[in-house]
Amino acid sequence: MSDQVISIIGLVLVFLIATFSKVHMGVIAIVAAFIVGTAVAGESADEIFAGFPGDLFVVLVGVTLLFAIAKNNGTVDWLVQTSTRAVRGRIALIPWVMFLITGALTASGAVVPGAVGIMAPIGMGFAVRHKINPVLMGLLVINGASAGGFSPISIFGTITNGVVQREDLPGSEGMLFLTSFLFNLALSVVVFFLFGGRKLLGRRAESPAGVPGDGGAAAPGTTGGGAPAAAIPAPTGDRVPAPTPTPAPTAGGQLAAPTAAPPKPRPSATDTDTDTDTEEVLRLDPVRALTVLGVISLAVGSLAFDLDVGLMAFVVSAVLCLVSPASAKGAVERCAWPTVLLVCGIVMYVSLMDKMGTIKWAGESVSDLGTPLVSALLICVIGGVVSAFASTTGILGALIPLAVPFLAGGEIGAIGMISALAISSSVVDSSPFSTSGALTVAGAPEEMRDTVFRRLMAWGLSMTLIAPLATWVILVVPGQL
Protein backbone atom coordinates (compact mmCIF):
# COMPACT_ATOMS: atom_id res chain seq x y z
CA MET A 1 0.00 0.00 0.00
CA SER A 2 1.45 3.37 -1.04
CA ASP A 3 2.05 6.26 1.36
CA GLN A 4 -0.54 8.33 -0.53
CA VAL A 5 -3.27 5.74 0.01
CA ILE A 6 -2.38 5.48 3.71
CA SER A 7 -2.72 9.26 4.09
CA ILE A 8 -6.17 9.16 2.47
CA ILE A 9 -7.25 6.35 4.79
CA GLY A 10 -6.00 8.45 7.70
CA LEU A 11 -8.18 11.38 6.66
CA VAL A 12 -11.22 9.11 6.41
CA LEU A 13 -10.52 7.75 9.90
CA VAL A 14 -10.29 11.27 11.30
CA PHE A 15 -13.85 11.97 10.14
CA LEU A 16 -15.20 8.59 11.23
CA ILE A 17 -13.74 8.79 14.74
CA ALA A 18 -14.93 12.36 15.23
CA THR A 19 -18.40 11.45 13.96
CA PHE A 20 -18.93 8.44 16.19
CA SER A 21 -17.14 9.66 19.32
CA LYS A 22 -16.99 12.80 21.44
CA VAL A 23 -13.35 13.51 20.62
CA HIS A 24 -12.80 16.90 18.95
CA MET A 25 -12.02 16.52 15.25
CA GLY A 26 -9.17 19.04 15.41
CA VAL A 27 -7.46 17.02 18.14
CA ILE A 28 -7.79 13.80 16.12
CA ALA A 29 -6.43 15.51 12.99
CA ILE A 30 -3.33 16.74 14.83
CA VAL A 31 -2.77 13.26 16.30
CA ALA A 32 -3.17 11.76 12.81
CA ALA A 33 -0.66 14.25 11.39
CA PHE A 34 1.84 13.21 14.06
CA ILE A 35 1.34 9.46 13.56
CA VAL A 36 1.24 9.44 9.74
CA GLY A 37 3.96 12.08 9.45
CA THR A 38 6.33 10.22 11.78
CA ALA A 39 5.59 6.57 10.97
CA VAL A 40 4.83 6.82 7.24
CA ALA A 41 6.35 10.01 5.84
CA GLY A 42 9.39 9.94 8.14
CA GLU A 43 9.10 13.63 9.00
CA SER A 44 10.48 15.27 12.12
CA ALA A 45 8.34 17.18 14.59
CA ASP A 46 9.55 20.50 13.15
CA GLU A 47 8.56 19.41 9.66
CA ILE A 48 5.10 18.39 10.90
CA PHE A 49 4.71 21.70 12.75
CA ALA A 50 5.51 23.51 9.52
CA GLY A 51 2.10 22.42 8.26
CA PHE A 52 0.27 24.22 11.06
CA PRO A 53 -1.55 27.19 9.45
CA GLY A 54 -0.25 30.00 11.63
CA ASP A 55 -1.61 32.65 9.27
CA LEU A 56 -5.08 31.08 9.37
CA PHE A 57 -4.92 30.89 13.16
CA VAL A 58 -4.12 34.60 13.38
CA VAL A 59 -6.93 35.51 10.95
CA LEU A 60 -9.57 33.48 12.80
CA VAL A 61 -8.60 34.67 16.28
CA GLY A 62 -7.91 38.28 15.28
CA VAL A 63 -11.14 38.82 13.36
CA THR A 64 -13.39 37.10 15.91
CA LEU A 65 -11.71 39.06 18.73
CA LEU A 66 -12.24 42.37 16.92
CA PHE A 67 -15.91 41.73 16.29
CA ALA A 68 -16.45 40.48 19.83
CA ILE A 69 -15.21 43.89 20.95
CA ALA A 70 -17.39 45.58 18.33
CA LYS A 71 -20.39 43.65 19.65
CA ASN A 72 -19.58 44.68 23.23
CA ASN A 73 -19.42 48.39 22.46
CA GLY A 74 -22.55 48.38 20.31
CA THR A 75 -20.89 48.99 16.94
CA VAL A 76 -22.36 45.87 15.34
CA ASP A 77 -25.85 46.82 16.48
CA TRP A 78 -25.34 50.37 15.18
CA LEU A 79 -24.26 49.04 11.77
CA VAL A 80 -27.31 46.77 11.69
CA GLN A 81 -29.67 49.66 12.45
CA THR A 82 -28.02 51.98 9.91
CA SER A 83 -28.00 49.41 7.10
CA THR A 84 -31.61 48.43 7.78
CA ARG A 85 -32.68 52.04 7.34
CA ALA A 86 -30.64 52.21 4.10
CA VAL A 87 -32.79 49.47 2.52
CA ARG A 88 -35.90 51.13 4.00
CA GLY A 89 -36.60 48.13 6.22
CA ARG A 90 -36.94 45.58 3.40
CA ILE A 91 -35.52 42.56 5.19
CA ALA A 92 -35.41 40.36 2.08
CA LEU A 93 -32.86 42.77 0.53
CA ILE A 94 -30.40 42.59 3.43
CA PRO A 95 -28.73 39.26 2.45
CA TRP A 96 -28.38 40.51 -1.12
CA VAL A 97 -26.74 43.73 0.05
CA MET A 98 -24.24 41.55 1.92
CA PHE A 99 -23.68 39.49 -1.26
CA LEU A 100 -22.99 42.56 -3.40
CA ILE A 101 -20.76 44.35 -0.90
CA THR A 102 -18.64 41.24 -0.30
CA GLY A 103 -18.40 40.63 -4.04
CA ALA A 104 -17.31 44.22 -4.63
CA LEU A 105 -14.57 43.87 -2.01
CA THR A 106 -13.08 40.71 -3.52
CA ALA A 107 -13.51 41.95 -7.09
CA SER A 108 -11.47 45.01 -6.08
CA GLY A 109 -8.61 42.84 -4.87
CA ALA A 110 -9.41 41.91 -1.28
CA VAL A 111 -8.51 38.36 -0.33
CA VAL A 112 -11.61 36.19 0.02
CA PRO A 113 -11.04 35.29 3.71
CA GLY A 114 -10.41 38.94 4.50
CA ALA A 115 -13.65 40.09 2.89
CA VAL A 116 -15.63 37.30 4.57
CA GLY A 117 -13.95 38.08 7.87
CA ILE A 118 -15.15 41.66 7.63
CA MET A 119 -18.68 41.01 6.35
CA ALA A 120 -19.70 37.73 8.05
CA PRO A 121 -19.93 39.13 11.62
CA ILE A 122 -21.93 42.11 10.36
CA GLY A 123 -24.23 39.80 8.41
CA MET A 124 -24.74 37.62 11.49
CA GLY A 125 -25.76 40.73 13.40
CA PHE A 126 -28.50 41.26 10.82
CA ALA A 127 -29.50 37.61 11.05
CA VAL A 128 -29.96 37.75 14.82
CA ARG A 129 -31.78 41.07 14.82
CA HIS A 130 -34.18 40.31 11.97
CA LYS A 131 -34.71 36.58 12.44
CA ILE A 132 -32.91 35.62 9.22
CA ASN A 133 -31.54 32.10 8.98
CA PRO A 134 -27.80 32.52 9.77
CA VAL A 135 -26.97 29.80 7.23
CA LEU A 136 -28.70 31.86 4.53
CA MET A 137 -26.81 34.99 5.54
CA GLY A 138 -23.47 33.21 5.82
CA LEU A 139 -23.76 31.48 2.46
CA LEU A 140 -24.68 34.70 0.64
CA VAL A 141 -21.63 36.40 2.13
CA ILE A 142 -19.38 33.49 1.10
CA ASN A 143 -20.95 33.22 -2.37
CA GLY A 144 -20.57 36.96 -2.81
CA ALA A 145 -16.87 36.66 -2.03
CA SER A 146 -16.51 33.83 -4.57
CA ALA A 147 -18.56 35.75 -7.16
CA GLY A 148 -16.10 38.63 -7.15
CA GLY A 149 -13.07 36.47 -6.47
CA PHE A 150 -12.12 35.86 -10.11
CA SER A 151 -12.07 39.39 -11.45
CA PRO A 152 -8.88 40.20 -13.41
CA ILE A 153 -7.49 42.20 -10.45
CA SER A 154 -8.60 39.81 -7.70
CA ILE A 155 -6.35 37.33 -5.90
CA PHE A 156 -7.98 34.18 -7.32
CA GLY A 157 -8.23 35.73 -10.79
CA THR A 158 -4.60 36.84 -10.82
CA ILE A 159 -3.35 33.42 -9.70
CA THR A 160 -5.53 31.46 -12.14
CA ASN A 161 -4.72 33.68 -15.11
CA GLY A 162 -1.04 33.59 -14.19
CA VAL A 163 -0.97 29.77 -14.18
CA VAL A 164 -2.80 29.73 -17.53
CA GLN A 165 -0.20 32.04 -19.05
CA ARG A 166 2.74 30.06 -17.63
CA GLU A 167 1.32 26.83 -19.08
CA ASP A 168 0.76 28.58 -22.44
CA LEU A 169 -2.96 27.72 -22.45
CA PRO A 170 -5.67 29.79 -24.13
CA GLY A 171 -7.58 31.85 -21.58
CA SER A 172 -10.11 34.63 -21.13
CA GLU A 173 -9.98 36.78 -18.00
CA GLY A 174 -13.41 38.25 -18.69
CA MET A 175 -15.05 34.88 -19.28
CA LEU A 176 -13.54 33.46 -16.08
CA PHE A 177 -14.97 36.36 -14.07
CA LEU A 178 -18.37 36.27 -15.79
CA THR A 179 -18.92 32.53 -15.41
CA SER A 180 -17.89 32.61 -11.75
CA PHE A 181 -20.14 35.56 -10.96
CA LEU A 182 -23.19 34.11 -12.73
CA PHE A 183 -22.75 30.66 -11.17
CA ASN A 184 -22.49 32.11 -7.65
CA LEU A 185 -25.44 34.40 -8.29
CA ALA A 186 -27.60 31.47 -9.44
CA LEU A 187 -26.40 29.39 -6.50
CA SER A 188 -27.33 32.20 -4.11
CA VAL A 189 -30.86 32.31 -5.52
CA VAL A 190 -31.17 28.61 -4.69
CA VAL A 191 -29.74 29.24 -1.21
CA PHE A 192 -32.14 32.14 -0.63
CA PHE A 193 -35.26 30.05 -1.19
CA LEU A 194 -33.84 26.85 0.31
CA PHE A 195 -32.98 28.44 3.66
CA GLY A 196 -36.07 30.51 4.36
CA GLY A 197 -35.75 33.49 2.01
CA ARG A 198 -39.37 33.15 0.89
CA LYS A 199 -40.52 34.01 4.43
CA LEU A 200 -38.56 37.27 4.27
CA LEU A 201 -40.44 38.57 1.24
CA GLY A 202 -42.82 41.31 2.27
CA ARG A 203 -41.39 41.62 5.77
CA ARG A 204 -40.23 45.04 6.84
CA ALA A 205 -38.32 46.35 9.82
CA GLU A 206 -39.33 49.58 11.48
CA SER A 207 -36.61 52.03 12.40
CA PRO A 208 -35.79 52.34 16.10
CA ALA A 209 -37.78 54.71 18.27
CA GLY A 210 -37.25 58.31 17.24
CA VAL A 211 -36.28 57.50 13.65
CA PRO A 212 -38.82 57.65 10.82
CA GLY A 213 -39.45 54.25 9.27
CA ASP A 214 -41.83 52.29 7.11
CA GLY A 215 -42.85 49.49 9.43
CA GLY A 216 -45.68 48.81 11.79
CA ALA A 217 -45.86 48.13 15.49
CA ALA A 218 -43.72 45.63 17.34
CA ALA A 219 -45.04 42.53 18.99
CA PRO A 220 -44.93 42.87 22.77
CA GLY A 221 -41.68 41.71 24.29
CA THR A 222 -39.83 41.27 21.03
CA THR A 223 -37.21 43.10 19.04
CA GLY A 224 -37.21 43.72 15.33
CA GLY A 225 -36.19 40.16 14.57
CA GLY A 226 -39.11 38.67 16.44
CA ALA A 227 -36.76 37.25 19.06
CA PRO A 228 -37.31 37.97 22.76
CA ALA A 229 -35.86 41.32 23.66
CA ALA A 230 -33.85 39.83 26.48
CA ALA A 231 -32.04 37.56 24.03
CA ILE A 232 -30.13 40.46 22.48
CA PRO A 233 -27.79 42.27 24.89
CA ALA A 234 -27.87 46.03 24.77
CA PRO A 235 -24.81 48.24 25.12
CA THR A 236 -24.83 50.04 28.44
CA GLY A 237 -26.30 53.50 28.53
CA ASP A 238 -28.02 53.52 25.16
CA ARG A 239 -31.26 51.73 25.77
CA VAL A 240 -33.83 52.34 28.44
CA PRO A 241 -35.47 49.18 29.76
CA ALA A 242 -39.23 49.10 29.84
CA PRO A 243 -40.64 49.75 33.31
CA THR A 244 -41.73 46.63 35.19
CA PRO A 245 -45.14 46.91 36.85
CA THR A 246 -44.91 46.71 40.65
CA PRO A 247 -47.34 44.27 42.27
CA ALA A 248 -49.63 45.86 44.86
CA PRO A 249 -49.82 44.32 48.39
CA THR A 250 -53.13 42.73 49.38
CA ALA A 251 -54.83 42.88 52.73
CA GLY A 252 -53.18 39.61 53.77
CA GLY A 253 -49.70 41.03 53.15
CA GLN A 254 -49.14 38.99 49.95
CA LEU A 255 -48.30 40.48 46.61
CA ALA A 256 -51.08 40.47 44.09
CA ALA A 257 -50.44 39.74 40.43
CA PRO A 258 -49.71 42.83 38.34
CA THR A 259 -52.76 44.49 36.87
CA ALA A 260 -53.26 43.35 33.32
CA ALA A 261 -52.81 45.97 30.67
CA PRO A 262 -55.85 46.87 28.58
CA PRO A 263 -56.21 44.65 25.53
CA LYS A 264 -54.56 46.01 22.40
CA PRO A 265 -56.31 46.21 19.05
CA ARG A 266 -55.80 43.20 16.82
CA PRO A 267 -53.01 43.82 14.32
CA SER A 268 -53.91 44.48 10.75
CA ALA A 269 -52.64 42.38 7.88
CA THR A 270 -49.93 44.97 7.31
CA ASP A 271 -48.74 44.74 10.89
CA THR A 272 -48.36 40.97 10.78
CA ASP A 273 -45.86 41.27 7.93
CA THR A 274 -43.72 43.81 9.74
CA ASP A 275 -40.64 43.33 11.89
CA THR A 276 -40.14 46.21 14.26
CA ASP A 277 -37.47 47.44 16.61
CA THR A 278 -38.70 49.26 19.70
CA GLU A 279 -35.18 50.14 20.85
CA GLU A 280 -33.94 53.68 20.88
CA VAL A 281 -31.68 54.62 18.02
CA LEU A 282 -28.01 53.92 18.68
CA ARG A 283 -25.71 56.89 18.24
CA LEU A 284 -22.25 56.87 16.72
CA ASP A 285 -20.30 57.72 19.86
CA PRO A 286 -16.50 58.14 19.84
CA VAL A 287 -15.77 54.48 20.69
CA ARG A 288 -18.09 53.18 17.96
CA ALA A 289 -16.65 55.69 15.50
CA LEU A 290 -13.15 54.44 16.30
CA THR A 291 -14.34 50.83 15.83
CA VAL A 292 -15.86 51.65 12.43
CA LEU A 293 -12.62 53.40 11.47
CA GLY A 294 -10.73 50.27 12.50
CA VAL A 295 -12.92 48.02 10.33
CA ILE A 296 -12.49 50.43 7.40
CA SER A 297 -8.72 50.39 7.92
CA LEU A 298 -8.92 46.60 7.83
CA ALA A 299 -10.58 46.73 4.40
CA VAL A 300 -8.25 49.45 3.06
CA GLY A 301 -5.16 47.68 4.34
CA SER A 302 -6.25 44.45 2.65
CA LEU A 303 -7.28 46.12 -0.62
CA ALA A 304 -4.62 48.79 -1.11
CA PHE A 305 -1.57 47.63 0.82
CA ASP A 306 -1.89 43.82 0.89
CA LEU A 307 -1.57 43.79 4.69
CA ASP A 308 -2.46 40.66 6.64
CA VAL A 309 -6.06 40.81 7.85
CA GLY A 310 -5.39 38.85 11.03
CA LEU A 311 -2.46 40.98 12.16
CA MET A 312 -4.37 44.18 11.40
CA ALA A 313 -7.34 42.86 13.37
CA PHE A 314 -5.07 42.35 16.39
CA VAL A 315 -3.74 45.91 16.04
CA VAL A 316 -7.24 47.40 15.89
CA SER A 317 -8.37 45.21 18.80
CA ALA A 318 -5.43 46.32 20.94
CA VAL A 319 -6.14 50.00 20.25
CA LEU A 320 -9.83 49.57 21.14
CA CYS A 321 -8.92 47.75 24.37
CA LEU A 322 -6.63 50.62 25.37
CA VAL A 323 -9.19 53.31 24.54
CA SER A 324 -12.21 51.49 26.00
CA PRO A 325 -11.24 48.69 28.42
CA ALA A 326 -14.93 47.96 29.11
CA SER A 327 -15.36 46.90 25.46
CA ALA A 328 -12.78 44.15 25.89
CA LYS A 329 -14.52 42.46 28.81
CA GLY A 330 -15.15 38.83 27.88
CA ALA A 331 -14.02 39.34 24.26
CA VAL A 332 -11.19 36.80 24.38
CA GLU A 333 -13.54 34.17 25.81
CA ARG A 334 -15.92 34.79 22.90
CA CYS A 335 -13.28 33.87 20.29
CA ALA A 336 -14.40 30.66 18.59
CA TRP A 337 -11.62 28.49 20.02
CA PRO A 338 -13.23 25.10 19.17
CA THR A 339 -13.61 26.23 15.55
CA VAL A 340 -10.01 27.47 15.44
CA LEU A 341 -8.71 24.12 16.74
CA LEU A 342 -10.86 22.15 14.30
CA VAL A 343 -9.89 24.10 11.19
CA CYS A 344 -6.19 24.34 12.04
CA GLY A 345 -6.02 20.62 12.83
CA ILE A 346 -7.63 19.58 9.54
CA VAL A 347 -5.51 22.00 7.49
CA MET A 348 -2.39 20.70 9.26
CA TYR A 349 -3.20 17.13 8.19
CA VAL A 350 -4.08 18.12 4.60
CA SER A 351 -0.78 20.03 4.42
CA LEU A 352 1.00 16.80 5.36
CA MET A 353 -0.90 14.99 2.60
CA ASP A 354 0.24 17.63 0.13
CA LYS A 355 3.89 17.23 1.17
CA MET A 356 3.55 13.46 0.80
CA GLY A 357 2.42 14.02 -2.81
CA THR A 358 -1.09 12.66 -2.26
CA ILE A 359 -2.86 15.46 -4.14
CA LYS A 360 -0.45 15.33 -7.09
CA TRP A 361 -0.70 11.52 -7.15
CA ALA A 362 -4.51 11.68 -7.30
CA GLY A 363 -4.47 14.26 -10.08
CA GLU A 364 -1.96 12.34 -12.19
CA SER A 365 -3.94 9.12 -11.73
CA VAL A 366 -7.02 10.86 -13.10
CA SER A 367 -5.15 12.38 -16.04
CA ASP A 368 -3.90 8.95 -17.09
CA LEU A 369 -7.41 7.54 -17.57
CA GLY A 370 -7.33 8.29 -21.29
CA THR A 371 -10.89 9.70 -21.52
CA PRO A 372 -10.63 13.52 -21.55
CA LEU A 373 -14.23 14.24 -20.52
CA VAL A 374 -14.12 11.83 -17.59
CA SER A 375 -10.69 13.13 -16.58
CA ALA A 376 -12.00 16.70 -16.67
CA LEU A 377 -14.90 15.82 -14.37
CA LEU A 378 -12.70 13.94 -11.91
CA ILE A 379 -10.13 16.75 -11.73
CA CYS A 380 -12.94 19.20 -10.91
CA VAL A 381 -14.16 16.81 -8.19
CA ILE A 382 -10.64 16.53 -6.76
CA GLY A 383 -10.33 20.33 -6.80
CA GLY A 384 -13.62 20.68 -4.93
CA VAL A 385 -12.90 17.98 -2.35
CA VAL A 386 -9.39 19.14 -1.52
CA SER A 387 -10.29 22.84 -1.55
CA ALA A 388 -13.05 22.18 0.99
CA PHE A 389 -10.28 21.41 3.50
CA ALA A 390 -7.31 23.35 2.20
CA SER A 391 -6.25 26.52 0.41
CA THR A 392 -8.23 27.29 -2.74
CA THR A 393 -5.29 29.34 -3.95
CA GLY A 394 -2.93 26.38 -3.66
CA ILE A 395 -5.35 24.00 -5.35
CA LEU A 396 -5.77 26.25 -8.37
CA GLY A 397 -2.02 26.45 -8.80
CA ALA A 398 -1.59 22.69 -8.41
CA LEU A 399 -4.43 21.24 -10.49
CA ILE A 400 -4.49 23.44 -13.60
CA PRO A 401 -1.07 22.11 -14.74
CA LEU A 402 -2.39 18.54 -14.32
CA ALA A 403 -5.05 19.27 -16.93
CA VAL A 404 -2.49 20.35 -19.54
CA PRO A 405 -1.95 16.89 -21.12
CA PHE A 406 -5.55 16.34 -22.22
CA LEU A 407 -6.18 20.05 -22.89
CA ALA A 408 -3.31 19.95 -25.37
CA GLY A 409 -5.22 17.37 -27.42
CA GLY A 410 -7.92 19.91 -28.24
CA GLU A 411 -10.82 17.64 -27.28
CA ILE A 412 -11.61 19.81 -24.25
CA GLY A 413 -12.01 23.59 -24.42
CA ALA A 414 -9.34 25.15 -22.22
CA ILE A 415 -11.37 28.21 -21.19
CA GLY A 416 -14.40 26.16 -20.17
CA MET A 417 -12.25 23.60 -18.32
CA ILE A 418 -10.31 26.23 -16.37
CA SER A 419 -13.53 28.09 -15.49
CA ALA A 420 -15.15 24.85 -14.33
CA LEU A 421 -12.13 23.96 -12.18
CA ALA A 422 -11.98 27.48 -10.73
CA ILE A 423 -15.66 27.48 -9.77
CA SER A 424 -15.55 23.91 -8.41
CA SER A 425 -12.59 24.79 -6.21
CA SER A 426 -14.02 28.06 -4.87
CA VAL A 427 -17.72 27.50 -4.13
CA VAL A 428 -16.76 24.83 -1.59
CA ASP A 429 -15.27 27.61 0.56
CA SER A 430 -18.61 27.39 2.37
CA SER A 431 -17.22 24.28 4.07
CA PRO A 432 -16.54 25.06 7.77
CA PHE A 433 -13.08 23.52 7.27
CA SER A 434 -12.12 26.32 4.87
CA THR A 435 -11.19 29.79 6.07
CA SER A 436 -14.39 31.46 4.82
CA GLY A 437 -16.66 28.81 6.27
CA ALA A 438 -14.77 28.83 9.57
CA LEU A 439 -15.07 32.61 9.84
CA THR A 440 -18.81 32.34 9.20
CA VAL A 441 -19.23 29.71 11.92
CA ALA A 442 -17.12 31.80 14.29
CA GLY A 443 -19.31 34.85 13.64
CA ALA A 444 -22.57 33.00 14.28
CA PRO A 445 -24.35 33.45 17.64
CA GLU A 446 -22.78 31.09 20.18
CA GLU A 447 -25.98 29.15 20.78
CA MET A 448 -26.33 28.53 17.01
CA ARG A 449 -22.72 27.70 16.12
CA ASP A 450 -23.18 23.93 16.20
CA THR A 451 -26.22 24.16 13.91
CA VAL A 452 -24.49 26.53 11.50
CA PHE A 453 -21.41 24.28 11.49
CA ARG A 454 -23.44 21.18 10.62
CA ARG A 455 -25.48 22.95 7.92
CA LEU A 456 -22.39 24.47 6.31
CA MET A 457 -20.60 21.13 6.45
CA ALA A 458 -23.53 19.41 4.71
CA TRP A 459 -23.80 22.21 2.13
CA GLY A 460 -20.05 22.46 1.53
CA LEU A 461 -19.59 18.72 1.11
CA SER A 462 -22.58 18.51 -1.22
CA MET A 463 -20.96 21.24 -3.34
CA THR A 464 -17.88 19.05 -3.80
CA LEU A 465 -20.06 16.90 -6.08
CA ILE A 466 -22.80 19.25 -7.29
CA ALA A 467 -20.54 22.12 -8.42
CA PRO A 468 -18.11 19.96 -10.44
CA LEU A 469 -20.98 18.12 -12.13
CA ALA A 470 -22.92 21.31 -12.92
CA THR A 471 -19.91 23.22 -14.25
CA TRP A 472 -18.78 20.17 -16.23
CA VAL A 473 -22.19 19.91 -17.92
CA ILE A 474 -22.48 23.65 -18.58
CA LEU A 475 -18.91 24.64 -19.43
CA VAL A 476 -16.95 21.52 -20.47
CA VAL A 477 -19.26 19.07 -22.24
CA PRO A 478 -20.53 21.55 -24.91
CA GLY A 479 -16.91 22.21 -25.92
CA GLN A 480 -17.68 25.76 -27.03
CA LEU A 481 -15.31 27.53 -24.65
Side-chain angles (χ1 to χ4, degrees):
M1 186 180 298
S2 68
D3 293 350
Q4 290 79 15
V5 173
I6 293 174
S7 68
I8 293 173
I9 293 173
L11 182 62
V12 173
L13 288 175
V14 167
F15 283 95
L16 290 177
I17 295 172
T19 300
F20 296 105
S21 72
K22 295 183 179 180
V23 184
H24 192 280
M25 187 181 292
V27 173
I28 301 174
I30 293 175
V31 171
F34 171 65
I35 294 174
V36 175
T38 303
V40 179
E43 296 203 338
S44 65
D46 288 343
E47 290 172 327
I48 295 173
F49 288 145
F52 184 85
D55 54 346
L56 177 57
F57 175 88
V58 171
V59 168
L60 287 173
V61 177
V63 170
T64 54
L65 175 63
L66 172 58
F67 279 92
I69 295 172
K71 181 65 178 176
N72 281 354
N73 64 30
T75 304
V76 171
D77 290 335
W78 176 82
L79 288 169
V80 168
Q81 286 188 1
T82 303
S83 300
T84 303
R85 292 197 298 272
V87 297
R88 299 184 63 83
R90 295 177 178 86
I91 293 177
L93 293 181
I94 294 175
W96 293 105
V97 170
M98 295 292 102
F99 174 91
L100 292 174
I101 293 176
T102 313
L105 286 174
T106 55
S108 301
V111 293
V112 169
V116 173
I118 293 167
M119 298 303 299
I122 297 174
M124 289 303 173
F126 281 114
V128 171
R129 181 64 54 85
H130 298 297
K131 208 173 181 179
I132 301 171
N133 188 332
V135 178
L136 163 62
M137 182 65 76
L139 284 175
L140 257 68
V141 169
I142 295 171
N143 290 346
S146 296
F150 286 95
S151 79
I153 63 172
S154 68
I155 300 298
F156 285 175
T158 301
I159 291 171
T160 303
N161 293 320
V163 173
V164 169
Q165 291 176 2
R166 284 197 302 272
E167 298 295 335
D168 199 24
L169 295 170
S172 171
E173 296 180 353
M175 184 60 66
L176 175 65
F177 180 37
L178 180 63
T179 54
S180 174
F181 184 89
L182 292 178
F183 187 90
N184 280 280
L185 179 62
L187 191 63
S188 295
V189 172
V190 174
V191 168
F192 183 81
F193 288 101
L194 189 61
F195 291 102
R198 185 184 299 274
K199 298 178 182 177
L200 304 180
L201 299 175
R203 279 176 49 191
R204 300 175 76 89
E206 186 179 295
S207 299
V211 179
D214 297 323
T222 63
T223 63
I232 302 177
T236 305
D238 285 285
R239 294 170 182 148
V240 181
T244 303
T246 305
T250 64
Q254 298 179 343
L255 293 178
T259 304
K264 295 184 178 181
R266 293 183 63 183
S268 65
T270 304
D271 292 334
T272 58
D273 290 333
T274 303
D275 273 355
T276 60
D277 198 331
T278 58
E279 300 165 328
E280 293 184 9
V281 63
L282 295 176
R283 304 297 179 186
L284 186 62
D285 61 22
V287 174
R288 290 173 190 149
L290 182 62
T291 306
V292 172
L293 182 62
V295 174
I296 293 174
S297 69
L298 208 63
V300 172
S302 173
L303 286 168
F305 302 103
D306 197 27
L307 297 176
D308 184 83
V309 173
L311 294 176
M312 289 186 63
F314 270 107
V315 171
V316 176
S317 298
V319 171
L320 292 174
C321 290
L322 291 172
V323 172
S324 176
S327 298
K329 187 175 180 180
V332 173
E333 289 78 2
R334 291 195 184 102
C335 290
W337 296 112
T339 303
V340 172
L341 176 59
L342 185 150
V343 174
C344 290
I346 291 293
V347 172
M348 185 176 178
Y349 186 82
V350 173
S351 175
L352 173 67
M353 294 176 67
D354 189 28
K355 285 193 289 185
M356 292 174 65
T358 304
I359 297 171
K360 183 178 181 181
W361 170 81
E364 290 176 345
S365 299
V366 168
S367 298
D368 293 339
L369 288 177
T371 307
L373 275 177
V374 175
S375 297
L377 175 60
L378 291 179
I379 283 186
C380 288
V381 171
I382 291 173
V385 171
V386 177
S387 184
F389 304 95
S391 166
T392 301
T393 303
I395 295 305
L396 290 171
L399 290 184
I400 291 177
L402 297 180
V404 172
F406 60 82
L407 287 177
E411 297 179 43
I412 301 292
I415 296 175
M417 175 62 203
I418 292 165
S419 298
L421 179 56
I423 295 170
S424 300
S425 301
S426 59
V427 297
V428 296
D429 283 351
S430 53
S431 159
F433 305 110
S434 72
T435 307
S436 296
L439 285 167
T440 303
V441 173
E446 187 172 354
E447 66 277 7
M448 301 187 71
R449 269 184 200 150
D450 286 344
T451 300
V452 173
F453 176 86
R454 289 194 298 270
R455 295 284 175 84
L456 287 185
M457 181 168 66
W459 178 265
L461 295 181
S462 70
M463 285 298 105
T464 62
L465 297 177
I466 294 174
L469 184 60
T471 54
W472 180 74
V473 169
I474 297 171
L475 300 172
V476 178
V477 173
Q480 302 299 316
L481 295 176

